[in-house]
Amino acid sequence: MAIQIKSLILFFPILIAASAQADVIEDFRQVRLKSDKVEVFTPYEKKIENLVPSEKGILHFGLGVKFYEIGKDDLAQTNLSEAIRLGFAATEPALFYLGKSFARSGKKEGAKLEFIKIIQRKPKSYLKEDAQLELSKILIEEKKYRDAKIALTYLERRTRSDFSYPEVLWNLIKANVESGPASKACVWVRKLYSRKPQYAEVQHWTLDPNSLLFGKVKLPCPVSQADQKRRILNLVLSGLSDKAKIELDQYIEKYAKVSKYQTDLLLSHFYILEGYTVEAFQILAPYYTGYQNNYDYLLLLAKAAVRSGEFQTAVGAYYKAHKLRKNSKSGRFALYQAAFLSYQFQDYDGAGRKFEEFIEKYSRSGLTRDAYWHQAWIRYLKKDYKGALVAFDGLKRFRNMNKQDRVIYWKAMTYYHLDDNKNAQKLFQTLINPKSPSFYSIAAIERLRKLNVKTDMRQMASSETAVEETVADKTDDAIAATTETEAEESEESVEQIDEVADAEQIDEEEETAISAKDEKAMEGIIATGINSIKSSDQKAKVITEFSNSTANRYFSRANDLIRLGYNDLAKWELYYTERSTKNPLELRTLMGTYKKIEAYNRISHIASNLFAKDRYKYGMVTAKDLWQGAFPEAYKTTVVQASKENNIDPHFVWSIVRAESNFKEDAKSPVGALGLMQLMPYTAEKVARSQNKPHVIEDLLSPAVNLGYGTSYLARLYHMFSNQLPLAAAGYNAGPHRVKSWVKSFGGLDMDEFIEHIPFVETRNYVKKVTQNYYIYSKLYDSNEPKMAWLSEPVAYKFEGRAPTREEW
């Protein structure tokens, strides 16, 4: 006993010292977030003396970055250099900030050296492209234009979808202008002019080529009409409609006398983007006689016609476009659109004939399966239930299609309308999977309730075989193989041409499948340690050392950065850790660390994809923490507060966020939607004005701002559509004016039928996904079986009068 006490006494000072060091770094982190005064941080340089070398390196790095941020380059360089000398683990960030500090203080050679170190490091650093951009700026200043242009040309290809792309183009222009002649810069000038007209450095550029100034240098760069048209449309998409209209008027004034047809095409395209579709149709219609054999004209006419309610004209335009190119892919597409529009606007007989024509002409097309589906679905809508049953059975000609949830569900509904409740009930029950409920599983539960069939989810667990089939055939959010087309001709629906953006953002790195070895390892962990995931209260073992040395190095670096509060840098280190391991316990540890820094997109990715099989196998009760990882209550304080202010269920907000960005706070779509809730700048501006708040586009990448505006907008739609969740979700994705049009056309259906009838492929699957998300969120966090009776009831919202062609504020 005495020996134990003596050992404890000897060890006690070590514990105190470790605690004191942790307190210094934690104290620095708290102060760093609150103050920018130099005198507040200089005392820490003395406190460093009492730390062990590894802790010294961490604090030197923190001080170095802070001094850089407040413009004290001498202090920044001293501390960052010392952090590197002491072996601070996160070397690349230290090198990057040291290089930036050297560059700002005029020490070009030192800056170049640090950036080159980052570029040459193996494995490649996530800061490599940033370092290359900074290095190229120094090379330009040193008049080493050839080297700068090589580096920037490489970056131009790599950053086209990044926020840094306009800056890369700007520096390419600078390198070419300063190396002369300025005409060599024209290829980059035209790209910046037409693709990124909203970039701050070129705000003075206009439609007039004479406005293309680089400082005082006039850029002798001719711009084509195509460049000017693209510029105008990109201004609209970036939320600068007023500037776009000014330049459009200038374009029309310049070219109308040469070709009024071309200027009217651009004007009508502008009106379509702005929602003035009636005006667009009125401009295009008079040209029909002269341009009825012009394929591009017919497509634009069809787009304007369908949005302005001129349905027969739209169908006719598509059908005529098909006749012009019937042996091409575009011709096939036009015929399919003609058939689809006839169906959409309830000319079911005409749609049936056109789908039949499509099947006869293009039996090997990827869209043929969809044509067969629509023939069956049209019979159902026409209440030809016996014919529908035959047609649904006929879908077995397509491999596995007859086993899809969608086909099974609507066969069950067909039996239901035939008063064959026995067969209806049997099919509905085959869809129910309590361990991994799909949209159709949820809808089937509600239909069984209407049949007064008890659906105790605890007793209706699917067989092991069924679960294994679910795992093999579906991914987490795959409403699955119920989407329209998986072949090469997966075109979007009519109103999405040229505008569609992927609602669910995918990370830059391709997601990798789990190998057989990894799956076996996961099965072993689950089999031997199932008690660790029996409930959300019992957490899996947390580890501090990774088996892979590379993963261990990245994880250690991430934790150092987290201690200092540099979470954005830590996120990258954790991402590289994630790429370096497939060990289940290590992945679970990563999920917990990601949660500390609110990197919910990575938590969701790991739980959704790398633990997909385990979630499906063990379900929402046994593997509850994995399901909550896939469906996190992200930014809970912000979401709950915004939901309370707007009188909307926070589960609905999270359901939208998951469908829009999968919690990636810096997500950006091809058409400019930003942030967690993928807000378009135009929409965010309207919301901001309604709340008398200033609005800056970049603010939409802030979770607090994005969730605030997005929740407010979602609540606006929810209350607009009589608290009908699917209608609000559809309005969020496609615009409320379109939902009003759909309600007016086929709002007499039950809600499940209405959802299946939504004409946009993307929106239809989006609504199913949001509905599924909402069910899972409610079940996970409310611990009760969610009641969603509205799925099996008539659409409660009604719309009278002429449907608007654009959103009305």
Side-chain angles (χ1 to χ4, degrees):
M1 184 67 175
I3 293 174
Q4 291 177 346
I5 293 173
K6 184 177 181 181
S7 299
L8 184 60
I9 292 172
L10 290 173
F11 187 63
F12 195 62
I14 298 174
L15 292 175
I16 294 174
S19 176
Q21 293 177 42
D23 289 342
V24 170
I25 293 176
E26 172 61 22
D27 183 56
F28 166 80
R29 187 181 75 85
Q30 295 293 338
V31 174
R32 180 187 75 81
L33 297 171
K34 297 175 182 177
S35 177
D36 283 335
K37 295 180 180 179
V38 176
E39 58 270 22
V40 173
F41 296 98
T42 49
Y44 285 97
E45 295 184 300
K46 293 183 179 180
K47 295 180 182 181
I48 287 179
E49 297 174 3
N50 298 322
L51 303 180
V52 297
S54 60
E55 299 291 288
K56 286 182 180 180
I58 295 172
L59 190 51
H60 272 303
F61 173 79
L63 286 168
V65 175
K66 186 62 186 181
F67 285 135
Y68 170 78
E69 291 172 346
I70 58 181
K72 293 296 180 180
D73 286 313
D74 53 340
L75 294 172
Q77 292 160 24
T78 298
N79 280 279
L80 289 167
S81 297
E82 189 62 12
I84 295 168
R85 187 189 71 79
L86 290 168
F88 175 61
T91 309
E92 287 93 337
L95 292 172
F96 184 75
Y97 280 104
L98 183 57
K100 291 269 285 184
S101 182
F102 279 148
R104 188 167 62 186
S105 60
K107 299 175 183 178
K108 306 300 180 187
E109 291 303 318
K112 285 167 57 179
L113 180 62
E114 306 310 324
F115 293 136
I116 290 170
K117 287 178 184 177
I118 296 171
I119 294 167
Q120 292 179 336
R121 289 184 74 83
K122 296 180 181 180
K124 294 179 181 178
S125 167
Y126 56 89
L127 288 169
K128 178 180 178 181
E129 290 175 3
D130 293 326
Q132 284 181 310
L133 180 56
E134 296 300 326
L135 178 61
S136 69
K137 294 177 185 177
I138 296 173
L139 293 172
I140 292 172
E141 291 181 21
E142 294 180 336
K143 302 188 179 194
K144 296 179 179 178
Y145 301 117
R146 181 177 176 276
D147 291 341
K149 285 187 276 189
I150 291 172
L152 288 165
T153 301
Y154 168 82
L155 285 176
E156 192 274 333
R157 293 192 297 270
R158 297 277 297 180
T159 62
R160 288 177 183 173
S161 61
D162 296 345
F163 284 104
S164 62
Y165 184 61
E167 187 178 5
V168 171
L169 290 175
W170 182 251
N171 280 283
L172 271 166
I173 294 169
K174 185 174 184 179
N176 281 279
V177 168
E178 295 191 2
S179 63
S183 58
K184 289 185 177 180
C186 287
V187 63
W188 314 117
V189 170
R190 284 194 293 270
K191 284 190 176 185
L192 189 57
Y193 172 85
S194 62
R195 298 182 186 181
K196 300 294 179 180
Q198 72 274 23
Y199 181 52
E201 295 285 1
V202 296
Q203 288 292 301
H204 60 284
W205 290 5
T206 67
L207 198 72
D208 183 0
N210 292 320
S211 70
L212 303 183
L213 297 175
F214 185 87
K216 295 183 179 180
V217 177
K218 182 181 180 302
L219 298 170
C221 301
V223 292
S224 66
Q225 281 185 253
D227 291 330
Q228 291 174 322
K229 289 192 287 188
R230 188 172 189 176
R231 171 184 174 81
I232 291 168
L233 297 177
N234 276 320
L235 283 170
V236 178
L237 291 174
S238 63
L240 300 175
S241 296
D242 292 341
K243 185 175 175 65
K245 184 60 170 65
I246 291 171
E247 297 195 8
L248 174 61
D249 290 341
Q250 294 171 349
Y251 180 92
I252 293 172
E253 184 179 357
K254 182 176 182 179
Y255 295 112
K257 292 181 181 179
V258 179
S259 176
K260 192 170 187 304
Y261 168 70
Q262 290 294 337
T263 57
D264 278 349
L265 283 187
L266 180 59
L267 179 60
S268 62
H269 204 156
F270 172 83
Y271 278 146
I272 289 171
L273 289 177
E274 288 289 281
Y276 297 107
T277 53
V278 173
E279 291 83 348
F281 178 74
Q282 290 172 346
I283 291 170
L284 291 168
Y287 288 101
Y288 182 78
T289 302
Y291 290 89
Q292 60 182 301
N293 294 318
N294 183 305
Y295 180 84
D296 294 330
Y297 164 77
L298 289 171
L299 287 191
L300 191 60
L301 176 66
K303 184 187 292 188
V306 69
R307 298 187 187 192
S308 57
E310 302 291 339
F311 307 136
Q312 291 183 342
T313 300
V315 172
Y318 273 118
Y319 195 75
K320 192 164 184 63
H322 155 68
K323 293 294 186 182
L324 294 175
R325 296 186 181 179
K326 56 186 176 181
N327 294 322
S328 67
K329 181 178 178 179
S330 57
R332 294 196 298 273
F333 168 69
L335 176 57
Y336 185 87
Q337 292 298 83
F340 188 85
L341 273 180
S342 296
Y343 146 72
Q344 179 183 345
F345 299 116
Q346 298 174 292
D347 176 11
Y348 296 142
D349 292 335
R353 289 193 298 271
K354 292 182 182 67
F355 279 126
E356 186 63 38
E357 180 181 351
F358 186 93
I359 290 169
E360 290 177 3
K361 289 183 176 180
Y362 309 115
S363 61
R364 301 183 66 182
S365 166
L367 291 169
T368 300
R369 186 182 68 174
D370 294 342
Y372 273 111
W373 156 259
H374 278 101
Q375 285 186 319
W377 176 238
I378 285 171
R379 287 188 174 94
Y380 174 91
L381 292 172
K382 290 173 65 177
K383 301 184 179 181
D384 174 15
Y385 298 120
K386 291 183 178 179
L389 200 58
V390 172
F392 282 130
D393 283 334
L395 294 175
K396 64 180 63 176
R397 75 187 71 197
F398 300 100
R399 185 170 60 90
N400 293 329
M401 188 173 179
N402 198 45
K403 297 180 181 179
Q404 289 179 3
D405 285 2
R406 179 175 65 167
V407 176
I408 294 171
Y409 184 83
W410 292 111
K411 282 179 68 174
M413 285 294 293
T414 304
Y415 280 122
Y416 171 79
H417 286 296
L418 289 169
D419 294 324
D420 186 349
N421 289 347
K422 181 178 179 181
N423 275 315
Q425 177 182 331
K426 181 179 178 181
L427 287 177
F428 283 137
Q429 287 177 324
T430 65
L431 292 171
I432 296 177
N433 180 1
K435 292 184 177 180
S436 180
S438 69
F439 167 79
Y440 292 103
S441 173
I442 298 161
I445 292 170
E446 296 305 331
R447 284 293 175 181
L448 285 170
R449 286 196 177 116
K450 288 199 78 169
L451 290 169
N452 294 317
V453 176
K454 291 184 179 181
T455 56
D456 187 341
M457 299 296 282
R458 292 170 297 181
Q459 298 178 12
M460 296 185 66
S462 300
S463 68
E464 191 72 19
T465 302
V467 173
E468 292 301 327
E469 287 180 357
T470 300
V471 175
D473 295 342
K474 299 180 182 178
T475 58
D476 181 40
D477 291 317
I479 309 225
T482 60
T483 55
E484 256 58 16
T485 303
E486 295 172 353
E488 78 281 0
E489 294 184 89
S490 161
E491 290 96 350
E492 300 292 342
S493 292
V494 178
E495 298 187 30
Q496 294 171 290
I497 304 169
D498 299 328
E499 298 172 35
V500 69
D502 187 3
E504 181 143 353
Q505 295 295 313
I506 302 173
D507 286 336
E508 291 82 357
E509 295 291 334
E510 183 178 351
E511 309 298 8
T512 54
I514 304 174
S515 69
K517 182 178 179 181
D518 294 327
E519 287 186 359
K520 188 174 181 181
M522 286 190 182
E523 285 293 333
I525 293 291
I526 295 294
T528 58
I530 192 64
N531 288 333
S532 68
I533 59 170
K534 279 189 175 178
S535 74
S536 59
D537 296 326
Q538 292 178 288
K539 305 301 181 183
K541 178 183 176 183
V542 176
I543 59 176
T544 56
E545 292 288 329
F546 281 62
S547 55
N548 180 302
S549 60
T550 301
N552 204 50
R553 183 171 67 253
Y554 284 125
F555 188 65
S556 175
R557 289 158 52 144
N559 280 314
D560 288 347
L561 292 166
I562 291 170
R563 289 177 65 191
L564 292 165
Y566 291 109
N567 293 346
D568 288 341
L569 294 172
K571 192 183 303 182
W572 278 102
E573 302 289 350
L574 291 173
Y575 176 66
Y576 277 85
T577 310
E578 183 186 327
R579 292 182 61 187
S580 303
T581 182
K582 288 292 185 285
N583 180 288
L585 289 180
E586 293 175 356
L587 290 171
R588 294 175 74 91
T589 298
L590 272 175
M591 289 169 64
T593 309
Y594 274 133
K595 188 173 183 179
K596 290 180 184 177
I597 61 172
E598 297 188 322
Y600 295 104
N601 64 308
R602 299 315 309 169
I603 300 171
S604 182
H605 167 74
I606 293 173
S608 296
N609 297 284
L610 303 185
F611 282 107
K613 189 171 183 178
D614 300 319
R615 287 189 302 104
Y616 289 134
K617 185 171 184 178
Y618 297 105
M620 281 189 276
V621 176
T622 303
K624 187 173 183 179
D625 64 329
L626 291 178
W627 278 91
Q628 289 182 332
F631 294 80
E633 291 182 310
Y635 310 98
K636 185 172 181 177
T637 301
T638 301
V639 170
V640 170
Q641 180 62 33
S643 300
K644 184 177 180 180
E645 291 173 356
N646 290 282
N647 192 27
I648 192 171
D649 188 342
H651 293 159
F652 187 20
V653 178
W654 281 309
S655 299
I656 292 287
V657 174
R658 192 176 195 275
E660 289 287 348
S661 66
N662 199 29
F663 312 103
K664 195 168 189 290
E665 65 185 51
D666 58 350
K668 182 181 180 183
S669 81
V671 297
L674 297 172
L676 291 165
M677 297 187 75
Q678 286 292 276
L679 288 169
M680 289 297 291
Y682 170 83
T683 302
E685 182 182 8
K686 291 292 187 181
V687 175
R689 285 184 182 178
S690 70
Q691 298 176 358
N692 296 316
K693 294 180 179 178
H695 170 57
V696 179
I697 289 178
E698 288 74 15
D699 289 345
L700 293 178
L701 297 179
S702 159
V705 173
N706 194 284
L707 290 168
Y709 287 168
T711 301
S712 178
Y713 181 61
L714 180 64
R716 175 178 183 268
L717 299 178
Y718 184 66
H719 301 314
M720 175 189 296
F721 291 119
S722 304
N723 299 345
Q724 298 267 279
L725 182 147
L727 301 187
Y732 196 92
N733 181 261
H737 55 297
R738 295 191 178 107
V739 176
K740 291 176 181 178
S741 174
W742 299 336
V743 169
K744 184 174 176 62
S745 296
F746 48 87
L749 301 172
D750 285 353
M751 183 61 81
D752 52 356
E753 295 170 331
F754 179 90
I755 292 171
E756 199 67 64
H757 206 305
I758 291 174
F760 290 5
V761 174
E762 180 193 357
T763 303
R764 179 165 60 254
N765 290 329
Y766 178 87
V767 172
K768 293 174 184 177
K769 182 180 294 183
V770 170
T771 303
Q772 177 192 29
N773 290 349
Y774 181 75
Y775 176 90
I776 292 172
Y777 266 105
S778 299
K779 187 167 184 177
L780 278 174
Y781 296 101
D782 287 348
S783 300
N784 295 314
E785 180 65 24
K787 299 296 190 295
M788 300 169 69
W790 37 263
L791 266 176
S792 60
E793 295 174 351
V795 174
Y797 172 76
K798 303 299 177 187
F799 182 79
E800 302 295 336
R802 184 180 179 87
T805 57
R806 69 195 305 261
E807 183 169 2
E808 299 169 333
W809 289 84

